[in-house]
């Protein structure tokens, strides 16, 4: 019985996450992501090697990460304050924007070696 209840709750939470992602607005996300540009680039391709690329990441992952920063479950001296004032809708919109962007090209071994 407990297993059945757990499966029902897991299915319902997955449905809610998918439902919120369906309501996300990429254009609103682009506007709200203006504060992210300094570190993560205008399209989610980081301008500095110390900051992760966000372009092409899964929206669900980005939502979880931003929510964790906002709620204090994930600590970072820059990200926590940036996420502090974001609503769930803001987070869904920003995540949808970055998820829709083209990921950074993967460097090949020859390119890295300078060949």
């Amino acid at each position: 019985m407990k297993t059945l209840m757990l499966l029902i709750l897991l299915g319902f939470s997955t449905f809610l996450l998918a439902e919120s992602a369906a309501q996300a607005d990429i254009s609103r996300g682009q506007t709200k992501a203006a504060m992210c540009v300094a570190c993560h680039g205008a399209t989610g391709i980081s301008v500095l090697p110390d900051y992760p690329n966000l372009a092409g990441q899964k929206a669900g992952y980005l939502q979880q990460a931003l929510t964790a920063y906002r709620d204090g479950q994930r600590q970072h001296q820059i990200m926590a304050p940036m996420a502090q004032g974001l609503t769930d809708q803001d987070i869904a919109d920003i995540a949808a924007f970055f998820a829709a962007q083209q990921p950074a090209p993967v460097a090949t071994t020859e390119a890295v070696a300078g060949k």
Side-chain angles (χ1 to χ4, degrees):
M1 186 66 169
K2 288 182 181 180
T3 304
L4 179 60
M5 289 301 293
L6 182 61
L7 288 173
I8 291 170
L9 288 173
L10 181 61
F12 185 67
S13 64
T14 303
F15 169 77
L16 289 177
L17 184 59
E19 183 67 19
S20 69
Q23 296 174 2
D25 185 300
I26 293 171
S27 61
R28 276 195 319 245
Q30 183 176 17
T31 300
K32 294 171 186 173
M35 64 184 173
C36 309
V37 171
C39 298
H40 298 288
T43 60
I45 307 296
S46 180
V47 295
L48 298 170
D50 291 343
Y51 301 108
N53 291 328
L54 302 180
Q57 288 284 351
K58 294 182 186 223
Y61 167 75
L62 293 171
Q63 282 183 272
Q64 287 178 332
L66 277 172
T67 300
Y69 285 125
R70 180 193 66 193
D71 296 345
Q73 298 163 340
R74 195 168 173 179
Q75 299 295 314
H76 189 271
Q77 66 185 35
I78 297 172
M79 285 303 302
M82 296 296 274
Q84 193 76 38
L86 297 175
T87 65
D88 288 341
Q89 185 65 55
D90 293 337
I91 289 172
D93 293 342
I94 291 168
F97 168 70
F98 284 120
Q101 302 309 301
Q102 196 71 339
V106 178
T108 63
T109 305
E110 289 180 10
V112 172
K115 294 182 180 180

